[in-house]
Amino acid sequence: MAKRKDGTPLLGKSVSLSRAIEFLRSGSTADAIKCIDLVMILGAPEDVTYPFVEYFESSVSNLPRHVEHSLKFPPIELKAIAIEIAADRMIDRIHCPDIAVFRNDYYKKNKRVVVTGTTTSWTALSKWSDMNWFISNFGHRWVPVEIGSVADGTWREEVVTFKEFIETYLYPREIARENANSNQKLPPIAYLAQHDLLNHFPTLTNDIEIPSYCDVSGGADTINGWIGPAGTVTPFVTSIHMITCLCR
């Protein structure tokens, strides 16, 4: 029986991929989409899924896949917050440092730093800030979402469409943020994380550029994407060599 590198059997995933093709041939495009997305969420290796994905994408390329939207998201307004931080805990903030400076002063010393100005050319800054763009292009696709909080025991994971994730969880919280005095009951915080989003939707990689600072460690071996509302709290990240880019 074929297995993944971690020993997980691939039979179930192969059956699901075969069902996706059967759905597609019978005209059940929505079922085919869900089937293939679930296989990708479960983590079947690329060499297994990509031939199916290519066939799938070419077969539905002429079908209407865009999802209509009518949401009006309020503009995001960044506000400076004054916080007292001890001098020995301050993190340097520098604008587009030279690679040699980044390598010698920060990378080799395992010293944290905030680098500004390196993502100004990303089309993601304009595209991804508009959740309607995600709905229009990926609203019909299925993604794994973390809902609630581990701290209060409400954490759970669900698989929902991108449209449902935005309209049910992100949008209401954004509107409430805009109307600070609103007594509107909010849905729990939902976070699209712990998932290879850019591998699931490869066209998203066209909207970003890998920072040249990754070259100091031989390049970026893993690229992940997370989407969540303001107020999202995640466990402390302890990775030594990691570059985090924020689009908002």
Side-chain angles (χ1 to χ4, degrees):
M1 179 184 295
K3 295 185 177 181
R4 298 175 59 193
K5 292 180 181 179
D6 63 4
T8 306
L10 287 176
L11 180 59
K13 298 178 178 63
S14 299
V15 172
S16 295
L17 287 169
S18 298
R19 289 194 65 195
I21 293 178
E22 291 176 6
F23 282 133
L24 192 61
R25 287 173 173 168
S26 66
S28 302
T29 307
D31 290 327
I33 289 173
K34 184 174 183 178
C35 218
I36 202 164
D37 279 341
L38 289 177
V39 170
M40 298 182 75
I41 290 169
L42 289 172
E46 297 176 9
D47 58 346
V48 172
T49 59
Y50 273 9
F52 288 89
V53 173
E54 290 177 357
Y55 171 82
F56 172 79
E57 291 290 347
S58 63
S59 298
V60 301
S61 59
N62 296 323
L63 297 177
R65 293 183 292 163
H66 287 230
V67 180
E68 294 298 324
H69 62 78
S70 59
L71 305 181
K72 294 186 181 297
F73 284 84
I76 295 177
E77 197 175 311
L78 301 183
K79 299 179 180 179
I81 301 176
I83 301 177
E84 292 187 7
I85 302 177
D88 61 341
R89 293 182 177 273
M90 291 290 290
I91 298 176
D92 291 351
R93 187 182 184 90
I94 52 179
H95 183 78
C96 296
D98 181 86
I99 290 292
V101 171
F102 178 80
R103 179 191 298 110
N104 297 326
D105 294 351
Y106 298 99
Y107 177 75
K108 288 185 176 180
K109 297 178 180 179
N110 285 332
K111 184 179 179 181
R112 293 169 293 179
V113 61
V114 175
V115 177
T116 63
T118 61
T119 61
T120 53
S121 62
W122 287 16
T123 55
L125 295 180
S126 57
K127 280 186 179 179
W128 296 8
S129 62
D130 180 9
M131 289 291 101
N132 285 321
W133 181 82
F134 278 102
I135 292 177
S136 295
N137 291 276
F138 306 109
H140 59 297
R141 303 295 299 273
W142 295 77
V143 291
V145 176
E146 297 179 13
I147 302 172
S149 169
V150 174
D152 60 15
T154 62
W155 184 93
R156 67 185 188 278
E157 189 172 30
E158 294 184 5
V159 177
V160 300
T161 63
F162 222 131
K163 179 180 172 69
E164 182 181 349
F165 168 54
I166 292 172
E167 292 186 345
T168 303
Y169 298 102
L170 295 191
Y171 183 64
R173 298 192 74 88
E174 285 299 300
I175 294 300
R177 178 183 60 81
E178 178 72 4
N179 303 317
N181 297 324
S182 173
N183 294 321
Q184 176 185 358
K185 184 179 180 180
L186 295 177
I189 286 181
Y191 193 34
L192 203 171
Q194 314 306 327
H195 177 59
D196 196 345
L197 185 66
L198 299 183
N199 183 46
H200 198 153
F201 306 120
T203 55
L204 291 177
T205 59
N206 298 329
D207 300 328
I208 66 173
E209 298 173 15
I210 297 177
S212 56
Y213 302 110
C214 292
D215 294 339
V216 301
S217 62
D221 56 359
T222 302
I223 305 176
N224 288 319
W226 299 268
I227 299 177
T232 301
V233 178
T234 64
F236 184 71
V237 178
T238 57
S239 301
I240 296 178
H241 299 146
M242 182 177 72
I243 292 180
T244 301
C245 300
L246 179 64
C247 297
R248 53 190 304 178

